[in-house]
Amino acid sequence: MMTCAAEQLATEADRGRAALLAAVSHDLRAPLAAAKAAVSGLRARDTRLTAEDREELLAAAEESLDLLARLAASLLDVSRLQAGALAVFPRPADLGEIVADSLDALGPQARPVRADIPSALREVMADPAIMERVIANLVGNALRYSPAASPPLVTARDLGDRVQLCVIDHGTGIPEADRKRAFLPFQRLGDPSERTGVGLGLVVSRGLAEAMGGTVDPEETPGGGLTMVVSLPAAPARPAAEFGVRRIRAA
């Protein structure tokens, strides 16, 4: 017979699986339906489509498939982090270049993202590809909750043996009492009408940062909003001649 402790663990595991299935099924349904509708519209023989109609349907299908790809990537990241099977290779890296690549990876946005990265910022010890995903997740979250008139801002500064990156927004923020819960899987905070995704973005960002020896912590933005603070180990200093050209995209 199962002991009380074993029964409790089994019950919690069942609840976790139920939460996963509920969250994933809910968030899979909408983009799958949208992609299928777009493809069906393109294949319809009894409907005459203009070039503009076809472009809109293709854009809708692409957007839906991108959502599905991000969801699958997040679920895979969580699985690897929990299993301790994520391959991470920290090395000296230019944080400014990583920020630029992260913003590029987000694709065209309806609203701009501002970036202010000092040109003399020290390199960090990070896996560039992993760090790009951390920043893209945090900036995507900031875009989701930022008001149109106040675009998110990405900044960075040296702090001795660490380098600090901040993703700042002026949205609704997260009450201090809820900040720990925000880093649990499948947590969706804020206005229920605005909740999107399965609540894995912050979980994945913190897990990936910690795998590189970093941290991710939320702070209140002065004047209202949320600032996600990423701290990474600074890389040993290198001669200036070894540095490449930095590119930062700011809007």
Side-chain angles (χ1 to χ4, degrees), residues 31-61:
L32 278 173
K36 180 173 175 54
V39 172
S40 296
L42 289 166
R43 294 189 64 186
R45 297 181 181 276
D46 57 347
T47 303
R48 292 185 178 181
L49 299 176
T50 65
E52 184 178 353
D53 291 335
R54 293 180 62 84
E55 185 61 31
E56 288 182 0
L57 289 171
L58 286 169

Side-chain angles (χ1 to χ4, degrees), residues 159-194:
L159 291 176
D161 61 349
R162 310 284 291 184
V163 174
Q164 186 181 86
L165 177 93
C166 294
V167 179
I168 304 166
D169 72 57
H170 293 279
T172 56
I174 301 177
E176 188 172 356
D178 291 334
R179 288 177 188 169
K180 288 185 178 180
R181 188 162 62 89
F183 288 91
L184 297 175
F186 315 118
Q187 298 296 316
R188 307 185 195 186
L189 305 177
D191 185 347
S193 65
E194 297 178 352

